[in-house]
């Protein structure tokens, strides 16, 4: 018989955050997967000036760095994010996603069997880039499919998501969500003179 009328199957039906199309949100089973991510990024990462080939106007000292709180504000306010993952053959995959920056991590949603989601199960390293090339923020880190969050974090994610998009709010405490925990970030303005690299440490104090 068809599963379309099965209550359990219907309960797992959500909608893609970009297209609004319904999909079965049941997470693929994975050996060794955790019920919830327990890594939290530092709120105050260490900073240094960007380094590049001769000719770029990046700063040569740490006196004119871009403040992390300014870069973090850009991450919070952005509406669309470019997510980069690695395909099984080593080629890059870049896709736009919806998401929110909450408690030092990037939370994003989409079909759990999409190409980029499958990529994260094979190769967790990923990065996001904001739309703007005038006010650049690039975050590199570890991506994963968090099967559920605690209720407090789920509420914060839902409130931030609803305030930004006004629809398709994920129920992360029940249905899970994807998370990118930063290890390094880069940011600069069009002039390049405030080019900054931030490095993050992590702890096991959050879920």
């Amino acid at each position: 018989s068809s599963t379309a009328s099965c209550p359990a199957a219907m309960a797992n039906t959500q909608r893609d955050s970009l297209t609004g199309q319904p999909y079965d949100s049941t997470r693929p089973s994975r050996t060794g997967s955790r019920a919830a991510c327990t890594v939290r990024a530092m709120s105050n990462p260490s900073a240094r000036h960007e380094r590049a080939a001769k000719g770029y106007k990046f700063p040569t000292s740490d006196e004119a760095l871009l403040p992390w709180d300014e870069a973090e504000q850009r991450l919070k306010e952005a509406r669309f994010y470019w997510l980069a993952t690695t395909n099984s053959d080593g080629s890059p995959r870049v896709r736009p996603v919806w998401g929110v920056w909450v408690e030092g991590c990037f939370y994003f949603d989409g079909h759990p069997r999409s190409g980029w989601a499958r990529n994260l199960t094979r190769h967790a390293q990923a990065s996001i880039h904001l739309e703007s090339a005038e006010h650049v923020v690039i975050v590199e880190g570890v991506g994963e499919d968090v099967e559920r969050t605690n209720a407090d974090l789920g509420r914060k994610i839902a409130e931030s998501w609803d305030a930004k998009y006004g629809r398709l709010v994920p129920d992360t405490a029940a249905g899970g969500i994807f998370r990118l925990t930063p290890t390094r970030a880069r940011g600069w303005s069009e002039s390049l003179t405030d080019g900054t690299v931030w490095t993050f440490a992590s702890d096991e104090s959050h879920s």
Side-chain angles (χ1 to χ4, degrees), residues 52-72:
K54 185 177 180 180
Y56 289 94
K57 296 181 180 180
F58 287 122
T60 56
S61 72
D62 293 344
E63 295 179 357
L65 300 183
L66 182 68
W68 171 245
D69 58 359
E70 183 175 331
E72 191 169 39

Side-chain angles (χ1 to χ4, degrees), residues 12-61:
N12 287 325
T13 299
Q14 295 183 0
R15 290 183 178 272
D16 185 271
S17 61
L18 280 178
T19 66
Q21 296 300 309
Y23 65 81
D24 181 355
S25 64
T26 304
R27 260 42 184 180
S29 60
R30 298 187 307 281
T31 302
S33 64
R34 292 174 291 175
C37 174
T38 58
V39 177
R40 182 179 183 180
M42 287 180 60
S43 58
N44 294 302
S46 60
R48 65 165 174 83
H49 64 277
E50 179 65 278
R51 302 187 182 108
K54 185 177 180 180
Y56 289 94
K57 296 181 180 180
F58 287 122
T60 56
S61 72

Side-chain angles (χ1 to χ4, degrees), residues 60-137:
T60 56
S61 72
D62 293 344
E63 295 179 357
L65 300 183
L66 182 68
W68 171 245
D69 58 359
E70 183 175 331
E72 191 169 39
Q73 190 63 31
R74 296 179 188 177
L75 287 163
K76 291 177 179 178
E77 293 177 352
R79 184 171 178 84
F80 301 105
Y81 307 78
W82 288 100
L83 172 69
T85 61
T86 304
N87 293 320
S88 58
D89 62 359
S91 61
R93 178 184 289 262
V94 182
R95 296 293 187 272
V97 295
W98 282 8
V100 292
W101 185 268
V102 175
E103 293 190 351
C105 289
F106 178 63
Y107 293 88
F108 55 107
D109 201 20
H111 199 299
R113 291 181 175 84
S114 63
W116 56 259
R118 295 196 305 272
N119 285 349
L120 291 176
T121 66
R122 290 188 297 260
H123 186 81
Q125 280 67 38
S127 65
I128 57 169
H129 193 312
L130 305 187
E131 290 183 283
S132 174
E134 182 179 2
H135 300 290
V136 172
V137 178

Side-chain angles (χ1 to χ4, degrees), residues 134-155:
E134 182 179 2
H135 300 290
V136 172
V137 178
I138 303 167
V139 178
E140 305 164 6
V142 178
E144 63 186 321
D145 183 354
V146 180
E147 295 183 9
R148 63 186 62 87
T149 67
N150 64 47
D152 183 59
L153 177 58
R155 176 183 55 79

